[in-house]
Amino acid sequence: MIIIAAIVIGALLGWRRATALGGNRKDRLQYAAAFALAFSALGLFVTIIIDRMV
């Protein structure tokens, strides 16, 4: 569940970042994909840490 939320949040933040920088649609999609991947990796690590603590 954390990973899914991280992907969605990452994609939204990437889209907003590219829009703020004045990017076109392809730029926004690329930023959204890159941020989603980065946030999903972080979400995976957070999920593993939480799972090992319990």
Side-chain angles (χ1 to χ4, degrees):
M1 205 62 166
I2 294 173
I3 296 174
I4 296 170
I7 291 171
V8 172
I9 291 169
L12 291 173
L13 289 176
W15 187 275
R16 285 187 52 203
R17 174 77 173 144
T19 303
L21 292 174
N24 60 18
R25 183 173 178 222
K26 289 183 181 179
D27 292 331
R28 291 188 294 245
L29 287 172
Q30 184 177 4
Y31 267 74
F35 273 59
L37 283 172
F39 274 61
S40 68
L42 289 174
L44 178 65
F45 287 124
V46 169
T47 301
I48 291 170
I49 290 169
I50 290 173
D51 186 48
R52 291 190 183 257
M53 289 176 65
V54 174

